[in-house]
């Protein structure tokens, strides 16, 4: 069924297999402990395929250390007990890296309930909430800008289960990595990005910035990106560099403009596994794709895109799903839109701006939970709205 060719690290071998999982197609997943990887054997296959880890023992997002338990859900997402790293990792099959955030695989035309549920309100998250992050364990993180704190909900709890306070002021963005560390915008007055360590419960400065970061992202190589709204550029810095070296420019020239190498008030950002950078270029009403190593962007959403199917008015948040379809917060149109085979369409907030359950008012950012539901910071209504994914909207 799997292995049987002696101990080793070839694709037809195993080394200290511990746990297995068998899916509906009778494929066998094996946690190959001493090779620090998870293998998948299709029925009657003569060799397996690496579906998690396989890049040596380590703590990076593409590595494991003595993996044990393994389980695969109906979306082909692989969950691995990364024993020696004291964490649980999730892989989307076909990807070489584990992510801390949810990237669902939807059907061709997923549908969300048009009426949202108020997950929490101003009494908890303050006025004008900016940023939200939901990790693969369904832990929800929201920055309370007014009270300078991070509010956390674990295990789908109704009430907050943890509050993190520090010296940061007016955080506009945050990003959470797989080990639970939180990167927090502290550019407003202190000109920095801070990292809160889940292991030590302490803060450290990891990046110096001029002003606010309206978007933060940590890529698969542990590079931190900051979208500098007032400097009209995105900067980046390797977190593996022990020195506080100068930031490198990832996108934009620092001068606002609409040319392919320029940005105007960039907000939310997303970096995929190919290290391609997507930037919501709010002032230019477009989303720009900067392919790895390129200084000129390509408009992939908005009126300047190659096949425009929707007009944007200050996009502020962006996520890619597993099929690389785009999901965008269209702030001034008070809605979230998504791309598909036939271009873009409105997903939620499609009834003009307002305060009803089927409306949003100047939303800022959003995140998917592991069930594909949308949680969005409904800034103008001072609340977090949750829109439930309808049945049969997941891909196969």
């Amino acid at each position: 069924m799997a292995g049987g060719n002696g101990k080793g690290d070839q694709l037809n071998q195993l080394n200290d297999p511990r746990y297995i999982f068998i899916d509906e197609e009778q494929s066998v997943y094996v946690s190959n402990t001493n090779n620090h990887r998870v293998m998948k054997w299709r029925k009657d296959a003569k060799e397996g395929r690496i579906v998690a880890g396989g890049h040596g023992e380590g703590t990076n997002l593409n590595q494991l250390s003595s993996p044990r338990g393994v389980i695969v859900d109906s979306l082909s997402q692989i969950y691995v007990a990364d024993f020696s790293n004291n964490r649980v990792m999730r892989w989307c099959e076909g990807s070489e890296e584990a992510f801390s955030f949810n990237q669902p695989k939807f059907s061709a035309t997923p549908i969300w309930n048009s009426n949202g549920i108020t997950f929490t309100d101003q009494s908890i998250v303050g006025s004008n909430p900016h940023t939200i992050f939901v990790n693969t364990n369904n832990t929800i993180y929201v920055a309370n800008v007014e009270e300078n704190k991070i509010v956390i909900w674990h295990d789908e709890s109704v009430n907050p289960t943890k509050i993190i306070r520090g010296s940061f002021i007016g955080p506009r963005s945050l990003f959470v990595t797989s080990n639970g560390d939180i990167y927090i915008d502290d550019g407003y007055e202190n000109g920095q990005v801070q990292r809160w360590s889940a292991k030590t419960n302490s803060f450290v400065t990891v990046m110096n910035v001029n002003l606010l970061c309206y978007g933060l992202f940590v890529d698969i190589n542990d590079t931190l990106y900051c979208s500098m709204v007032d400097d009209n550029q995105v900067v980046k810095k390797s977190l593996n560099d022990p020195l506080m070296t100068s930031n490198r420019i990832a996108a934009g020239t620092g001068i606002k403009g609409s040319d392919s190498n320029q940005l105007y008030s960039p907000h939310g950002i997303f970096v995929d596994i190919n290290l391609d950078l997507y930037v919501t270029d709010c002032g230019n009403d477009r989303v720009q794709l900067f392919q790895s190593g390129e200084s000129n962007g390509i408009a992939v959403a908005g009126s300047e895109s190659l096949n425009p199917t929707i007009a944007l008015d200050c996009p502020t948040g962006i996520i890619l799903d597993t099929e690389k379809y785009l999901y965008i917060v269209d702030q001034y149109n008070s809605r979230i839109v998504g791309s598909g085979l036939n271009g873009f369409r409105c997903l939620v907030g499609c009834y003009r701006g307002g305060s009803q359950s089927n409306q949003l008012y100047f939303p800022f950012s959003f995140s998917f939970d592991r069930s594909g539901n949308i949680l969005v910071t409904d800034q103008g209504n001072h609340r977090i709205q949750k829109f439930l994914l309808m049945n049969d909207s997941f891909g196969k």
Side-chain angles (χ1 to χ4, degrees), residues 341-394:
L341 292 174
N342 299 314
F344 282 91
R345 62 190 176 94
C346 184
L347 302 177
V348 299
C350 307
Y351 301 93
R352 298 181 179 272
S355 60
Q356 301 302 310
S357 63
N358 64 350
Q359 293 177 309
L360 298 168
Y361 192 51
F362 294 105
F364 192 87
S365 70
F366 77 106
S367 193
F368 292 116
D369 69 13
R370 64 186 175 198
S371 299
N373 303 314
I374 293 173
L375 286 94
V376 54
T377 55
D378 190 10
Q379 196 175 54
N381 287 317
H382 317 295
R383 65 187 181 184
I384 306 297
Q385 287 292 90
K386 182 176 183 178
F387 293 88
L388 301 179
L389 183 68
M390 303 297 282
N391 291 336
D392 302 320
S393 285
F394 271 125

Side-chain angles (χ1 to χ4, degrees), residues 25 49 64 117 132 139 152 179 197 209 243 272 275 304 309-310 326 343 354 362 377:
E25 298 176 349
R49 181 166 64 88
L64 295 168
I117 302 165
I132 185 169
T139 302
I152 302 174
N179 62 0
S197 169
V209 293
L243 302 176
D272 68 14
L275 304 181
E304 295 181 18
T309 55
I310 202 165
L326 306 178
F362 294 105
T377 55

Side-chain angles (χ1 to χ4, degrees), residues 17 40 80 108 115 128 138-139 202 204 227 250 310 324 391 396:
K40 177 182 178 179
V80 184
N115 292 305
N128 301 307
N138 259 19
T139 302
S202 61
V204 62
S227 176
I310 202 165
K324 287 202 168 184
N391 291 336
K396 303 298 184 183

